Amino acid sequence: ETGVTQSPTHLIKTRGQQVTLRCSSQSGHNTVSWYQQALGQGPQFIFQYYREEENGRGNFPPRFSGLQFPNYSSELNVNALELDDSALYLCASGGQGTDTQYFGPGTRLTVL
Amino acid sequence: AQRVTQPEKLLSVFKGAPVELKCNYSYSGSPELFWYVQYSRQRLQLLLRHISRESIKGFTADLNKGETSFHLKKPFAQEEDSAMYYCALRSLSGNTGKLIFGQGTTLQVKP
């Protein structure tokens, strides 16, 4: 059984650009959640996908969007990057609802 | 409002001393509470959840609904317990599994 993986590990972008982050869920998991973790803060929920549909969203603007694919891998897209988007982005996979969520190692995004 | 508060950013203790990491929550409904841990250079991982009522690595946590607290305790700290600890809350009534995290507490266990 493989764990949750994320790519890339690090990324540097400039303000106004767009970015795509990727996540491969743990085998057998059909739910993926994305979190943003700013420096010195706890992770903040962005959204969750279940069976390729958005299944809940946190307090993030529409320029944060996502996709979940039939193999349950996922993408997080952020348009019109702002300096405050600099953070660690975490992906977590699990079964539906109350199942335990397993986190990936994260992608460190720096916006200059 | 749903909120998790961890009042201490840093807790420093000596090896063998008792540890209590504080967590208070605000939630109207039936919450599920968790403790996650992140060791140096490792990913965030589940330590324990209140519905399991387990002791993991010597740590326990009891949900106190009257005080809206879920403090993490260990009677004798070990150096390998040094890590960042996050308390998190999830709604039991929803379907999203959305976790609400506190800001985290760094536990430093000195030799």
Side-chain angles (χ1 to χ4, degrees):
Chain A
E1 184 177 314
T2 58
V4 180
T5 60
Q6 292 187 244
S7 62
T9 307
H10 298 91
L11 202 51
I12 299 176
K13 292 285 188 179
T14 55
R15 210 166 31 169
Q17 285 189 309
Q18 178 267 341
V19 71
T20 297
L21 310 182
R22 293 179 174 81
C23 171
S24 289
S25 299
Q26 188 163 317
S27 176
H29 291 171
N30 54 20
T31 297
V32 66
S33 301
W34 285 91
Y35 293 82
Q36 181 196 66
Q37 186 174 19
L39 202 60
Q41 304 293 317
Q44 275 198 292
F45 178 76
I46 303 174
F47 44 54
Q48 184 183 79
Y49 279 80
Y50 170 65
R51 292 186 176 177
E52 303 176 54
E53 293 200 1
E54 190 178 288
N55 185 39
R57 189 178 184 93
N59 190 26
F60 281 82
R63 59 189 185 84
F64 285 79
S65 63
L67 284 172
Q68 186 184 31
F69 300 101
N71 65 355
Y72 303 126
S73 64
S74 176
E75 286 182 355
L76 165 65
N77 298 291
V78 187
N79 293 323
L81 283 167
E82 300 177 0
L83 298 179
D84 285 348
D85 296 332
S86 295
L88 181 69
Y89 288 85
L90 298 170
C91 163
S93 73
Q96 188 192 6
T98 59
D99 195 24
T100 298
Q101 293 188 29
Y102 295 86
F103 283 82
T107 293
R108 173 74 60 190
L109 173 65
T110 302
V111 182
L112 302 175
Chain B
Q2 303 169 7
R3 185 188 297 268
V4 175
T5 303
Q6 295 179 249
E8 304 140 325
K9 288 190 81 69
L10 172 66
L11 183 64
S12 188
V13 301
F14 285 100
K15 177 182 170 182
V19 169
E20 183 179 50
L21 297 164
K22 291 184 165 49
C23 172
N24 288 90
Y25 67 91
S26 171
Y27 188 76
S28 56
S30 298
E32 185 177 9
L33 275 296
F34 303 81
W35 278 97
Y36 279 82
V37 61
Q38 187 167 31
Y39 301 102
S40 179
R41 301 183 191 282
Q42 294 188 28
R43 65 185 66 190
L44 199 58
Q45 58 185 283
L46 179 66
L47 180 62
L48 53 81
R49 54 199 296 184
H50 91 269
I51 61 172
S52 301
R53 302 186 66 83
E54 297 171 301
S55 172
I56 305 293
K57 300 185 179 183
F59 285 98
T60 59
D62 290 317
L63 179 60
N64 185 324
K65 291 185 177 179
E67 296 182 359
T68 59
S69 68
F70 188 57
H71 303 326
L72 183 67
K73 300 178 184 178
K74 184 169 183 176
F76 308 103
Q78 304 298 314
E79 288 180 69
E80 55 265 31
D81 296 329
S82 295
M84 177 70 96
Y85 291 80
Y86 293 97
C87 182
L89 172 156
R90 182 169 69 188
S91 167
L92 278 173
S93 60
N95 245 351
T96 65
K98 165 187 174 181
L99 288 167
I100 300 168
F101 285 87
Q103 290 195 316
T105 298
T106 300
L107 175 62
Q108 183 182 74
V109 182
K110 295 178 285 190

PDB file of all heavy atoms in Angstrom, chain B residues 1-21:
ATOM      1  N   ALA B   1     -19.084  30.098  16.061  1.00  0.00           N
ATOM      2  CA  ALA B   1     -18.013  29.839  15.096  1.00  0.00           C
ATOM      3  C   ALA B   1     -17.234  28.603  15.533  1.00  0.00           C
ATOM      4  O   ALA B   1     -17.061  28.342  16.713  1.00  0.00           O
ATOM      5  CB  ALA B   1     -17.081  31.046  15.024  1.00  0.00           C
ATOM      6  N   GLN B   2     -16.784  27.853  14.553  1.00  0.00           N
ATOM      7  CA  GLN B   2     -15.985  26.667  14.849  1.00  0.00           C
ATOM      8  C   GLN B   2     -14.530  27.094  15.003  1.00  0.00           C
ATOM      9  O   GLN B   2     -13.985  27.747  14.115  1.00  0.00           O
ATOM     10  CB  GLN B   2     -16.110  25.662  13.710  1.00  0.00           C
ATOM     11  CG  GLN B   2     -17.530  25.247  13.426  1.00  0.00           C
ATOM     12  CD  GLN B   2     -17.646  24.472  12.136  1.00  0.00           C
ATOM     13  OE1 GLN B   2     -16.645  24.136  11.505  1.00  0.00           O
ATOM     14  NE2 GLN B   2     -18.855  24.164  11.734  1.00  0.00           N
ATOM     15  N   ARG B   3     -13.949  26.702  16.102  1.00  0.00           N
ATOM     16  CA  ARG B   3     -12.571  27.157  16.368  1.00  0.00           C
ATOM     17  C   ARG B   3     -11.865  26.171  17.271  1.00  0.00           C
ATOM     18  O   ARG B   3     -12.463  25.563  18.151  1.00  0.00           O
ATOM     19  CB  ARG B   3     -12.623  28.519  17.042  1.00  0.00           C
ATOM     20  CG  ARG B   3     -11.261  29.162  17.271  1.00  0.00           C
ATOM     21  CD  ARG B   3     -11.406  30.404  18.128  1.00  0.00           C
ATOM     22  NE  ARG B   3     -12.215  31.425  17.484  1.00  0.00           N
ATOM     23  CZ  ARG B   3     -11.724  32.392  16.718  1.00  0.00           C
ATOM     24  NH1 ARG B   3     -10.436  32.458  16.496  1.00  0.00           N
ATOM     25  NH2 ARG B   3     -12.514  33.274  16.178  1.00  0.00           N
ATOM     26  N   VAL B   4     -10.567  26.036  17.040  1.00  0.00           N
ATOM     27  CA  VAL B   4      -9.712  25.239  17.920  1.00  0.00           C
ATOM     28  C   VAL B   4      -8.594  26.150  18.410  1.00  0.00           C
ATOM     29  O   VAL B   4      -7.937  26.809  17.592  1.00  0.00           O
ATOM     30  CB  VAL B   4      -9.128  24.020  17.181  1.00  0.00           C
ATOM     31  CG1 VAL B   4      -8.154  23.271  18.082  1.00  0.00           C
ATOM     32  CG2 VAL B   4     -10.247  23.092  16.719  1.00  0.00           C
ATOM     33  N   THR B   5      -8.396  26.170  19.708  1.00  0.00           N
ATOM     34  CA  THR B   5      -7.378  27.046  20.295  1.00  0.00           C
ATOM     35  C   THR B   5      -6.342  26.228  21.040  1.00  0.00           C
ATOM     36  O   THR B   5      -6.679  25.418  21.909  1.00  0.00           O
ATOM     37  CB  THR B   5      -8.027  28.050  21.272  1.00  0.00           C
ATOM     38  OG1 THR B   5      -9.022  28.799  20.571  1.00  0.00           O
ATOM     39  CG2 THR B   5      -6.985  29.006  21.831  1.00  0.00           C
ATOM     40  N   GLN B   6      -5.100  26.432  20.692  1.00  0.00           N
ATOM     41  CA  GLN B   6      -3.977  25.851  21.421  1.00  0.00           C
ATOM     42  C   GLN B   6      -3.206  27.038  21.988  1.00  0.00           C
ATOM     43  O   GLN B   6      -2.517  27.732  21.247  1.00  0.00           O
ATOM     44  CB  GLN B   6      -3.097  25.006  20.497  1.00  0.00           C
ATOM     45  CG  GLN B   6      -3.819  23.776  19.960  1.00  0.00           C
ATOM     46  CD  GLN B   6      -2.941  22.970  19.022  1.00  0.00           C
ATOM     47  OE1 GLN B   6      -3.182  22.919  17.817  1.00  0.00           O
ATOM     48  NE2 GLN B   6      -1.926  22.339  19.584  1.00  0.00           N
ATOM     49  N   PRO B   7      -3.334  27.281  23.276  1.00  0.00           N
ATOM     50  CA  PRO B   7      -2.818  28.536  23.846  1.00  0.00           C
ATOM     51  C   PRO B   7      -1.306  28.638  23.906  1.00  0.00           C
ATOM     52  O   PRO B   7      -0.775  29.739  23.990  1.00  0.00           O
ATOM     53  CB  PRO B   7      -3.426  28.550  25.251  1.00  0.00           C
ATOM     54  CG  PRO B   7      -3.731  27.119  25.550  1.00  0.00           C
ATOM     55  CD  PRO B   7      -4.061  26.480  24.248  1.00  0.00           C
ATOM     56  N   GLU B   8      -0.606  27.510  23.858  1.00  0.00           N
ATOM     57  CA  GLU B   8       0.857  27.543  23.965  1.00  0.00           C
ATOM     58  C   GLU B   8       1.491  27.283  22.609  1.00  0.00           C
ATOM     59  O   GLU B   8       1.202  26.268  21.980  1.00  0.00           O
ATOM     60  CB  GLU B   8       1.343  26.487  24.970  1.00  0.00           C
ATOM     61  CG  GLU B   8       0.730  26.622  26.346  1.00  0.00           C
ATOM     62  CD  GLU B   8       0.388  25.264  26.964  1.00  0.00           C
ATOM     63  OE1 GLU B   8      -0.007  24.340  26.214  1.00  0.00           O
ATOM     64  OE2 GLU B   8       0.486  25.148  28.198  1.00  0.00           O
ATOM     65  N   LYS B   9       2.374  28.185  22.177  1.00  0.00           N
ATOM     66  CA  LYS B   9       3.107  27.925  20.935  1.00  0.00           C
ATOM     67  C   LYS B   9       4.273  26.979  21.198  1.00  0.00           C
ATOM     68  O   LYS B   9       4.661  26.209  20.329  1.00  0.00           O
ATOM     69  CB  LYS B   9       3.638  29.232  20.353  1.00  0.00           C
ATOM     70  CG  LYS B   9       2.553  30.104  19.751  1.00  0.00           C
ATOM     71  CD  LYS B   9       3.142  31.262  18.975  1.00  0.00           C
ATOM     72  CE  LYS B   9       3.576  30.884  17.585  1.00  0.00           C
ATOM     73  NZ  LYS B   9       2.448  30.575  16.695  1.00  0.00           N
ATOM     74  N   LEU B  10       4.823  27.048  22.412  1.00  0.00           N
ATOM     75  CA  LEU B  10       5.981  26.225  22.748  1.00  0.00           C
ATOM     76  C   LEU B  10       5.830  25.705  24.172  1.00  0.00           C
ATOM     77  O   LEU B  10       5.484  26.465  25.076  1.00  0.00           O
ATOM     78  CB  LEU B  10       7.272  27.043  22.636  1.00  0.00           C
ATOM     79  CG  LEU B  10       8.556  26.378  23.134  1.00  0.00           C
ATOM     80  CD1 LEU B  10       8.908  25.182  22.262  1.00  0.00           C
ATOM     81  CD2 LEU B  10       9.709  27.387  23.147  1.00  0.00           C
ATOM     82  N   LEU B  11       6.078  24.413  24.330  1.00  0.00           N
ATOM     83  CA  LEU B  11       6.098  23.804  25.651  1.00  0.00           C
ATOM     84  C   LEU B  11       7.412  23.064  25.789  1.00  0.00           C
ATOM     85  O   LEU B  11       7.711  22.173  24.986  1.00  0.00           O
ATOM     86  CB  LEU B  11       4.920  22.841  25.817  1.00  0.00           C
ATOM     87  CG  LEU B  11       4.774  22.171  27.182  1.00  0.00           C
ATOM     88  CD1 LEU B  11       4.502  23.215  28.264  1.00  0.00           C
ATOM     89  CD2 LEU B  11       3.656  21.139  27.148  1.00  0.00           C
ATOM     90  N   SER B  12       8.192  23.442  26.780  1.00  0.00           N
ATOM     91  CA  SER B  12       9.510  22.852  26.973  1.00  0.00           C
ATOM     92  C   SER B  12       9.548  22.134  28.313  1.00  0.00           C
ATOM     93  O   SER B  12       9.255  22.752  29.347  1.00  0.00           O
ATOM     94  CB  SER B  12      10.573  23.940  26.917  1.00  0.00           C
ATOM     95  OG  SER B  12      11.861  23.382  26.921  1.00  0.00           O
ATOM     96  N   VAL B  13       9.884  20.844  28.290  1.00  0.00           N
ATOM     97  CA  VAL B  13       9.948  20.056  29.524  1.00  0.00           C
ATOM     98  C   VAL B  13      11.215  19.206  29.503  1.00  0.00           C
ATOM     99  O   VAL B  13      11.825  19.011  28.448  1.00  0.00           O
ATOM    100  CB  VAL B  13       8.712  19.122  29.668  1.00  0.00           C
ATOM    101  CG1 VAL B  13       7.424  19.928  29.666  1.00  0.00           C
ATOM    102  CG2 VAL B  13       8.703  18.059  28.598  1.00  0.00           C
ATOM    103  N   PHE B  14      11.575  18.702  30.680  1.00  0.00           N
ATOM    104  CA  PHE B  14      12.699  17.779  30.758  1.00  0.00           C
ATOM    105  C   PHE B  14      12.200  16.343  30.588  1.00  0.00           C
ATOM    106  O   PHE B  14      11.056  16.024  30.916  1.00  0.00           O
ATOM    107  CB  PHE B  14      13.443  17.930  32.083  1.00  0.00           C
ATOM    108  CG  PHE B  14      14.296  19.160  32.145  1.00  0.00           C
ATOM    109  CD1 PHE B  14      13.862  20.300  32.814  1.00  0.00           C
ATOM    110  CD2 PHE B  14      15.526  19.197  31.514  1.00  0.00           C
ATOM    111  CE1 PHE B  14      14.643  21.439  32.865  1.00  0.00           C
ATOM    112  CE2 PHE B  14      16.322  20.336  31.561  1.00  0.00           C
ATOM    113  CZ  PHE B  14      15.868  21.461  32.233  1.00  0.00           C
ATOM    114  N   LYS B  15      13.084  15.504  30.095  1.00  0.00           N
ATOM    115  CA  LYS B  15      12.801  14.080  29.936  1.00  0.00           C
ATOM    116  C   LYS B  15      12.326  13.517  31.267  1.00  0.00           C
ATOM    117  O   LYS B  15      12.914  13.798  32.318  1.00  0.00           O
ATOM    118  CB  LYS B  15      14.073  13.371  29.479  1.00  0.00           C
ATOM    119  CG  LYS B  15      13.946  11.871  29.339  1.00  0.00           C
ATOM    120  CD  LYS B  15      15.288  11.279  28.926  1.00  0.00           C
ATOM    121  CE  LYS B  15      15.269   9.769  29.001  1.00  0.00           C
ATOM    122  NZ  LYS B  15      16.594   9.194  28.646  1.00  0.00           N
ATOM    123  N   GLY B  16      11.231  12.737  31.200  1.00  0.00           N
ATOM    124  CA  GLY B  16      10.690  12.128  32.399  1.00  0.00           C
ATOM    125  C   GLY B  16       9.627  12.960  33.093  1.00  0.00           C
ATOM    126  O   GLY B  16       8.926  12.452  33.972  1.00  0.00           O
ATOM    127  N   ALA B  17       9.495  14.211  32.700  1.00  0.00           N
ATOM    128  CA  ALA B  17       8.486  15.077  33.307  1.00  0.00           C
ATOM    129  C   ALA B  17       7.128  14.833  32.654  1.00  0.00           C
ATOM    130  O   ALA B  17       7.059  14.383  31.502  1.00  0.00           O
ATOM    131  CB  ALA B  17       8.881  16.544  33.139  1.00  0.00           C
ATOM    132  N   PRO B  18       6.040  15.143  33.365  1.00  0.00           N
ATOM    133  CA  PRO B  18       4.713  15.008  32.733  1.00  0.00           C
ATOM    134  C   PRO B  18       4.485  16.115  31.703  1.00  0.00           C
ATOM    135  O   PRO B  18       5.047  17.210  31.817  1.00  0.00           O
ATOM    136  CB  PRO B  18       3.756  15.144  33.927  1.00  0.00           C
ATOM    137  CG  PRO B  18       4.515  15.946  34.919  1.00  0.00           C
ATOM    138  CD  PRO B  18       5.961  15.582  34.750  1.00  0.00           C
ATOM    139  N   VAL B  19       3.664  15.770  30.729  1.00  0.00           N
ATOM    140  CA  VAL B  19       3.361  16.714  29.655  1.00  0.00           C
ATOM    141  C   VAL B  19       1.849  16.875  29.536  1.00  0.00           C
ATOM    142  O   VAL B  19       1.105  15.903  29.616  1.00  0.00           O
ATOM    143  CB  VAL B  19       3.897  16.191  28.297  1.00  0.00           C
ATOM    144  CG1 VAL B  19       3.355  17.030  27.144  1.00  0.00           C
ATOM    145  CG2 VAL B  19       5.407  16.196  28.293  1.00  0.00           C
ATOM    146  N   GLU B  20       1.422  18.130  29.355  1.00  0.00           N
ATOM    147  CA  GLU B  20       0.024  18.387  29.027  1.00  0.00           C
ATOM    148  C   GLU B  20      -0.034  19.470  27.963  1.00  0.00           C
ATOM    149  O   GLU B  20       0.351  20.614  28.200  1.00  0.00           O
ATOM    150  CB  GLU B  20      -0.784  18.815  30.254  1.00  0.00           C
ATOM    151  CG  GLU B  20      -2.269  19.002  29.913  1.00  0.00           C
ATOM    152  CD  GLU B  20      -3.112  19.411  31.107  1.00  0.00           C
ATOM    153  OE1 GLU B  20      -2.744  20.362  31.812  1.00  0.00           O
ATOM    154  OE2 GLU B  20      -4.161  18.744  31.334  1.00  0.00           O
ATOM    155  N   LEU B  21      -0.498  19.109  26.797  1.00  0.00           N
ATOM    156  CA  LEU B  21      -0.673  20.056  25.709  1.00  0.00           C
ATOM    157  C   LEU B  21      -2.153  20.434  25.681  1.00  0.00           C
ATOM    158  O   LEU B  21      -3.017  19.575  25.533  1.00  0.00           O
ATOM    159  CB  LEU B  21      -0.267  19.429  24.379  1.00  0.00           C
ATOM    160  CG  LEU B  21       1.205  19.039  24.273  1.00  0.00           C
ATOM    161  CD1 LEU B  21       1.447  18.106  23.120  1.00  0.00           C
ATOM    162  CD2 LEU B  21       2.063  20.279  24.137  1.00  0.00           C
TER     163      LEU B  21
END
